[in-house]
Amino acid sequence: MPVLEVRNIRKTFGRTEVLKGIDFSLDKGEALSVIGSSGSGKTTLLRCLNFLERPDAGSITVNGEVLLDCADASTLRESEIRRKRLHFGLVFQSFNLFPQYTALENVLLAPRLLAKENHEQFADKERLNAEARELFADIGLSDRMNNYPHQLSGGQQQRVAIARALIMHPDILCFDEPTSALDPELTGEVLKVIRKLSEQNTTMIIVTHEMEFARDVADKVIFMDGGVICEQGNPREVFSHPKEERTKQFLSRYSQN
């Protein structure tokens, strides 16, 4: 059974149909790269998966549980949406760390708020602190846990954002252009962390303009254009032998750079 099944996801803003029927599935431990030009619908797709946008049509199923069926989505309460959102972790382009909290406090904030919302005592404080410290070790920032965001480089902030998503144990970890806000010399340190997660069989969806990385790290690749999936398949086949003319045109621009 796939960990994620997306069926006929559609989304319109005003008169513009941004997603025109998106279908794909993802197995546990797979990494999916989503590529395409700006405005093709990639970020909107991630926002729909994470319930930051409500699709107009379609369904989202995780581990056999239908999280969203647009036929009855209007009945969802905000508390239900927050619960369903926990299946996904989203790492944004621009880090979105809270400046008044240290790196460690940023990572621990979400599990603390969740415990409070569920009227639970924060009984596992030591366990969570230990898990957070282990995550900081994994991302190479053990010595920066008590720093505030303004004391960290962009690459370090993005790695903290990855740890913040991971501590919630999402079924699927999503990245929205995780290196687009970084200087070129900082991009490598973030991609190294994502590559390590892929080697650990973390289930991921990665929206990226890093074509070489998309080809090398992913098990599957989707090329989107104009709100539809033009082509999908094995990365090396899609990159080396694209079948669709639009895919060939898009990839040719990168091969020339």
Side-chain angles (χ1 to χ4, degrees), residues 108-168:
L108 291 174
L109 182 61
R112 285 174 173 168
L113 290 175
L114 182 64
K116 183 177 180 180
E117 182 177 294
N118 293 335
H119 306 290
E120 298 171 354
Q121 289 188 341
F122 203 52
D124 290 335
K125 181 178 180 179
E126 291 305 317
R127 179 187 61 79
L128 267 173
N129 281 337
E131 184 176 351
R133 293 175 186 278
E134 186 176 336
L135 283 171
F136 274 95
D138 287 342
I139 63 174
L141 290 177
S142 292
D143 59 338
R144 302 290 188 187
M145 288 189 299
N146 295 316
N147 286 45
Y148 289 89
H150 75 273
Q151 297 171 315
L152 303 174
S153 70
Q156 291 169 339
Q157 289 186 61
Q158 190 63 293
R159 284 185 277 165
V160 173
I162 293 171
R164 178 179 59 184
L166 286 171
I167 203 166
M168 299 302 291

Side-chain angles (χ1 to χ4, degrees), residues 48-209:
C48 285
L49 292 177
N50 284 271
F51 294 88
L52 297 175
E53 300 287 353
R54 192 75 63 87
D56 301 313
S59 64
I60 300 169
T61 302
V62 175
N63 292 326
E65 177 189 355
V66 179
L67 299 187
L68 178 72
D69 184 342
C70 286
D72 57 12
S74 60
T75 63
L76 286 176
R77 297 190 299 271
E78 186 61 33
S79 60
E80 292 177 290
I81 291 174
R82 288 198 296 271
R83 180 184 65 80
K84 293 171 184 289
R85 189 176 288 147
L86 293 174
H87 290 278
F88 297 89
L90 179 58
V91 179
F92 298 90
Q93 297 180 28
S94 54
F95 326 139
N96 288 3
L97 300 180
F98 291 98
Q100 70 272 34
Y101 297 130
T102 65
L104 179 61
E105 289 169 338
N106 266 280
V107 169
L108 291 174
L109 182 61
R112 285 174 173 168
L113 290 175
L114 182 64
K116 183 177 180 180
E117 182 177 294
N118 293 335
H119 306 290
E120 298 171 354
Q121 289 188 341
F122 203 52
D124 290 335
K125 181 178 180 179
E126 291 305 317
R127 179 187 61 79
L128 267 173
N129 281 337
E131 184 176 351
R133 293 175 186 278
E134 186 176 336
L135 283 171
F136 274 95
D138 287 342
I139 63 174
L141 290 177
S142 292
D143 59 338
R144 302 290 188 187
M145 288 189 299
N146 295 316
N147 286 45
Y148 289 89
H150 75 273
Q151 297 171 315
L152 303 174
S153 70
Q156 291 169 339
Q157 289 186 61
Q158 190 63 293
R159 284 185 277 165
V160 173
I162 293 171
R164 178 179 59 184
L166 286 171
I167 203 166
M168 299 302 291
H169 300 285
D171 293 296
I172 302 111
L173 185 59
C174 302
F175 295 88
D176 184 15
E177 299 287 2
T179 61
S180 66
L182 301 178
D183 294 332
E185 61 266 28
L186 299 178
T187 295
E189 63 189 51
V190 173
L191 296 183
K192 182 179 178 180
V193 171
I194 301 174
R195 191 182 299 275
K196 182 178 179 180
L197 291 170
S198 177
E199 293 169 352
Q200 294 171 344
N201 294 320
T202 304
T203 309
M204 296 186 290
I205 301 174
I206 308 162
V207 169
T208 182
H209 283 303

